[in-house]
Amino acid sequence: MKLKYYIIATIALLIGLCSYAQSSKQKKADSLFNKFSFTEAAQVYHQLIDNNFNADYATRQLADSYALLRNPDSAVVYYKKVVQQESAPIEYYYSYAQALRGIKSYKESRVWLKKFHNAGGKIDQIKFTKDGEFINSIFNAKHRYNSEPVNFNSKFSDFGAYERDGNIYFTSSRNEGVLVKSLYSWDEEPFLDVYVADKSTIAESNVNHKFKLKGDVNSVYHDGPVTISNDGKTLYFSRTNFIKNNLKKDGNGFSNLKIYKALLIDGEWTNIQELPFNDNQYSNGHPALNVDGTKLYFTSDMPGGVGKSDIYYVDINEDGTYGTPQNLGRTINTNKNENFPFINSEGVLFFSSDGHNGLGLLDVFATVLDENKNTIGVINLGYPLNSSKDDFSFFMNNDGVTGYFASNREDGVGSDDIYAFSRVTRLKLEGTIYDAINNTPIPNAFVALFDTEDHEIASFEADENGRYDMNIDRDADYIIHVKQNGFINSANPISSKGIDKTVSSLNADFSMDPVSKPEVIVKDSEKEETIDPKSIELEPIYHSFDSANIRKQDNTELDNMVDLMLNTYPDMTIKIESHSDSRGPASYNMILSNRRAHTTYNYLISKGVDADRILEYKGYGEEKLVNACDGTIRCTEAQHQFNRRTNFVVIKVN
């Protein structure tokens, strides 16, 4: 018997570890999705579905991933599964309708568009027929952002915020504290310089000329924005065509932008060098490095481009030389202006454009990459990152949820202002499941999240230490169901309403009351005294799925029962109670459990037990489950096995 329980305990532990691994996998998938890496995210969502871990949620995310990848054939397959979910939000009706249109299933598309409308959805028929609007609507439904101006903005132009190693680098024309100021004739503001400040103290600082980048980067003309190599030793920056006190101009007498690099020497950026692909006759600016530092992206209006200004890249060779500038092509560049490139940790390019469909002037866009890292489309990042004004110089931290951008929108304090953004993340709900009697953690409890309309959203197991965590939406009410063998089921209301946006996690511990173990009451009819049931060991036997046969491993247990009745307590009378698990129709399970009771009865009789001493043999179907596996949660075969049992109840001992 000890071996049996050891095996069961081991299986439970492995299940817990597997659940933890799947939870980590979901976090990975969501992180990839948030960083616009939809191809890799789709692969992980497939794994979650295959492992039946939060499959409904993973299916929704997978369908959206395929839609964002402009793969309607695959999107249709998974949106069809989504709209069959009881708790699917109605916007998925719209997404399914659009995906159906993508495979030219127009009649079925109209059916689901009507369902979306009847459920309260609003339809813009013109936008519905535009693929770009559909892709953007999916993205903006999945990525909600907060944004607010940083408190170190000035009354002048501030932009190009770039975070690195705890410092914020940015470009500004503030120049406060300088007695003699050079003004740029274009806008009568001081020339731009590069500033840097410690992120932890910048909010309390008066960011003036003392915060200018140390070294030789800043000149008497425009400097910035910047980007820094992975090793932190090389800084690339834009500057007016000025080096070694020499201002150069094109054939029209105008000084263009060029890209320069500086080296970090004794804590200062110096040894300024012009990059070899610059030219006096056109501008190169807004440098940005890719993840591994092998490519430098930039903006240029060089001849032969697609529009007024395009985004290019050059290879940075191992010996420090540079390749030939390559135009990124018409998927990204339009006949207007594309500028301010930035590449996040997943290799996704962000840029500003007034040529793609947007909300106003310059808007921020992101590329969509296929499995080969080829750009197949662009996404407008939507409100509030974009506005009716110019929105540009986007930067995302490696966490994928925070960063900066600049805008000249009306609520700013200067001509251009820096805004910090953070994605409206789902709250993490975490805690520990405790035994209410001795206050010790309960391992591997089942936790299920329901909305207030009793729709299950997610379910999983806590770990072996009773710990659990899950993501929940903000401003929502939930019910948390907690179940475990040997404990009374618990249902607990949880609300995320009114939680400050800076709070990222909520702690909610739950206590469960143990189920009082049913005592086997053994009475002596003459003395009417209760005999300690522990003195008589009556272990249950178990049955295989959909079977009433006696398993070979249970023959020994039944033979012990026969020996007990024939030799130890020759006058003892018993009842036989048989049970099933919850799978299958209840009516069938009642029949099956009666067959199990009858099979057990016949076995005891065949071994010499007097039929008169078995007062009753009866099946109870799935009425008396010993654990939480009632069909509302996902259970393992080992857990269902506990319910497929036959118990022996002692009635009388003389």
Side-chain angles (χ1 to χ4, degrees), residues 298-310:
F298 61 97
T299 302
S300 180
D301 61 356
M302 69 176 65
V306 175
K308 296 179 180 179
S309 64
D310 289 351

Side-chain angles (χ1 to χ4, degrees), residues 195-207:
Y195 291 73
V196 60
D198 188 305
K199 181 182 179 182
S200 63
T201 60
I202 192 172
E204 293 78 33
S205 302
N206 176 24
V207 183

Side-chain angles (χ1 to χ4, degrees), residues 8 18 52 67 100 124 137 180 184 265 277 316 340 362 424 426 451 493 508 513 532 538 553 583 654:
I8 293 172
C18 180
N52 198 29
L100 286 165
D124 186 326
S137 69
V180 180
Y184 181 40
I265 301 174
F277 51 85
I316 302 177
F340 290 96
L362 285 174
V424 181
R426 305 180 78 191
D451 63 21
D513 293 314
D532 184 0
L538 299 179
Q553 59 264 46
R583 294 177 293 182
N654 289 332

Side-chain angles (χ1 to χ4, degrees), residues 543-549 580-581 583 588-589 592 595-596 637 644:
H543 303 273
S544 299
F545 177 71
D546 196 23
S547 173
N549 297 331
S580 72
D581 61 33
R583 294 177 293 182
Y588 175 79
N589 286 335
L592 177 61
R595 287 170 51 208
R596 288 170 175 166
E637 185 61 30
R644 298 194 302 266

Side-chain angles (χ1 to χ4, degrees), residues 422-653:
S422 60
R423 190 171 57 82
V424 181
T425 57
R426 305 180 78 191
L427 280 168
K428 177 188 284 188
L429 180 67
E430 56 187 346
T432 304
I433 314 298
Y434 289 102
D435 185 321
I437 301 300
N438 54 32
N439 203 37
T440 58
I442 300 173
N444 308 116
F446 291 91
V447 182
L449 178 70
F450 287 77
D451 63 21
T452 53
E453 296 182 356
D454 205 34
H455 294 139
E456 182 178 327
I457 300 171
S459 62
F460 52 91
E461 285 186 355
D463 65 19
E464 63 273 16
N465 298 312
R467 292 288 303 173
Y468 77 92
D469 68 75
M470 70 178 83
N471 290 325
I472 61 174
D473 288 328
R474 296 177 184 269
D475 298 316
D477 293 320
Y478 297 99
I479 302 294
I480 306 293
H481 291 264
V482 185
K483 302 179 181 182
Q484 182 55 294
N485 300 342
F487 293 86
I488 298 173
N489 296 344
S490 174
N492 309 273
I494 292 291
S495 178
S496 60
K497 292 182 176 178
I499 303 298
D500 190 272
K501 64 182 181 181
T502 61
V503 175
S504 60
S505 64
L506 296 176
N507 189 83
D509 296 335
F510 301 121
S511 296
M512 302 182 71
D513 293 314
V515 175
S516 299
K517 293 184 178 180
E519 294 185 353
V520 181
I521 304 301
V522 185
K523 291 187 177 181
D524 186 313
S525 59
E526 295 181 357
K527 298 180 181 181
E528 295 187 354
E529 294 179 354
T530 300
I531 300 175
D532 184 0
K534 295 181 181 179
S535 65
I536 304 177
E537 295 186 5
L538 299 179
E539 297 288 346
I541 64 170
Y542 295 92
H543 303 273
S544 299
F545 177 71
D546 196 23
S547 173
N549 297 331
I550 304 298
R551 304 183 310 170
K552 291 182 179 180
Q553 59 264 46
D554 288 313
N555 286 342
T556 300
E557 197 64 53
L558 279 177
D559 290 340
N560 289 337
M561 186 69 193
V562 171
D563 180 68
L564 190 71
M565 296 187 72
L566 294 182
N567 302 312
T568 307
Y569 299 105
D571 296 317
M572 181 174 70
T573 56
I574 65 169
K575 286 184 178 181
I576 297 173
E577 296 181 349
S578 295
H579 309 271
S580 72
D581 61 33
S582 63
R583 294 177 293 182
S587 57
Y588 175 79
N589 286 335
M590 185 63 72
I591 295 171
L592 177 61
S593 62
N594 274 307
R595 287 170 51 208
R596 288 170 175 166
H598 193 266
T599 300
T600 306
Y601 169 81
N602 287 339
Y603 186 93
L604 297 180
I605 297 302
S606 70
K607 296 294 184 177
V609 176
D610 190 337
D612 292 337
R613 296 173 60 194
I614 302 176
L615 302 185
E616 183 179 69
Y617 52 96
K618 181 180 179 180
Y620 289 86
E622 56 188 79
E623 294 178 0
K624 297 183 178 183
L625 302 176
V626 297
N627 56 27
C629 300
D630 58 1
T632 63
I633 64 174
R634 186 172 60 253
C635 289
T636 65
E637 185 61 30
Q639 291 159 336
H640 283 300
Q641 180 69 85
F642 281 116
N643 293 313
R644 298 194 302 266
R645 70 199 188 280
T646 292
N647 297 105
F648 304 97
V649 181
V650 177
I651 303 301
K652 179 180 178 181
V653 176

